């Protein structure tokens, strides 16, 4: 009998605006059948173009607290004034079916996942410079100046912890950054299936 394939849990962090979404989209484009994106729940309001159930499940704070109390999150954290959480049963059922999963979560969440599922593979995406990060974040035009400042402050703190992740990728040239992620993805999924 053919052995069930093992799914790998990837935890990807990096400051807001560094290009996580852009790079991950490429991975799904290429490996869509082997990998799924875990859609988190958040109390943040949707940005223009974001769809409920696609980028996030946009829920009220009350609903969020109910899910925390019911232990429905694998991890959850507060980031720049909003709450975010990873749906536990969805992620675990994908992994059991042999599908790899990407969690695009912040540092606090990554630490919780690492503690609970030490076999996960963690990747931190870094900007080529802080100035470039600021320019990408402003250029995206999705946040108020106050929110941009809040996210840049969080970015400084997070980037100091990049070394604690299994891998670091600098997103300078997008093609090169994607090539590195692709390489890590293939190496780690092959290793898990020895
Ligand atoms: P995140 O998901 O990390 O918040 P996004 O994927 O939304 O970041 O990217 C933020 C902005 O930076 C977007 O406008 C995106 O097009 C741009 N961007 C992403 N990668 C690069 C890159 N390598 N060079 C220049 N701009 C980039
Ligand atoms: P944004 O509001 O820009 O979509 O996300 C802000 C930050 O929250 C990013 O660092 C993103 O990776 C993180 N994030 C998104 N979903 C989750 C989640 O479920 N848990 C945690 N801990 N962080 C999350």
């Amino acid at each position: 009998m053919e052995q069930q394939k093992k799914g790998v849990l990837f935890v990807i962090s990096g400051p807001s605006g560094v290009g996580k979404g852009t790079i991950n989209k490429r991975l799904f484009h290429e490996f869509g059948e082997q990998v799924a994106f875990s859609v988190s729940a958040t109390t943040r309001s949707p940005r223009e173009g974001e769809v409920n159930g696609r980028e996030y499940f946009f829920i009220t704070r009350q609903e969020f607290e109910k899910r925390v109390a019911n232990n429905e999150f694998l991890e959850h954290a507060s980031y720049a004034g909003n709450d975010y959480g990873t749906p536990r049963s969805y992620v675990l059922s994908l992994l059991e079916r042999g599908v790899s999963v990407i969690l695009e979560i912040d540092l606090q969440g990554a630490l919780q996942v690492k503690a609970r599922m030490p076999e996960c593979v963690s990747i931190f995406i870094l900007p080529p410079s802080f100035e470039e990060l600021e320019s990408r974040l402003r250029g995206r035009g999705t946040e108020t100046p106050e929110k941009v400042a809040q996210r840049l402050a969080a970015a400084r703190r997070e980037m100091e912890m990049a070394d604690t992740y299994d891998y670091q990728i600098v997103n300078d040239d997008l093609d090169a950054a994607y090539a590195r992620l692709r390489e890590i993805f293939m190496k780690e999924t092959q290793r898990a299936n020895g």
Side-chain angles (χ1 to χ4, degrees), residues 2-23:
E2 204 187 319
Q3 223 189 339
Q4 162 78 43
K5 241 184 124 177
K6 280 194 190 128
V8 178
L9 182 60
F10 291 91
V11 177
I12 303 192
S13 301
S16 184
V18 76
K20 300 180 295 297
T22 310
I23 299 175

Side-chain angles (χ1 to χ4, degrees), residues 34-52:
Q34 295 175 47
V35 65
F37 179 78
S38 159
V39 180
S40 296
T42 182
T43 60
R44 147 162 105 57
S45 310
R47 293 183 187 129
E48 205 178 309
E50 284 185 332
V51 175
N52 190 33

Side-chain angles (χ1 to χ4, degrees), residues 90-133:
Y90 178 71
V91 170
L92 297 185
S93 71
L94 282 167
L95 291 172
E96 274 162 24
R97 282 178 13 222
V99 179
S100 291
V101 180
I102 304 246
L103 306 183
E104 200 190 295
I105 61 177
D106 83 327
L107 169 71
Q108 308 163 72
L111 293 173
Q112 294 174 48
V113 175
K114 202 79 188 162
R116 281 167 205 171
M117 303 178 77
E119 70 283 10
C120 74
V121 175
S122 60
I123 304 170
F124 196 95
I125 317 273
L126 286 155
S129 68
F130 200 77
E131 291 67 34
E132 172 64 18
L133 176 68

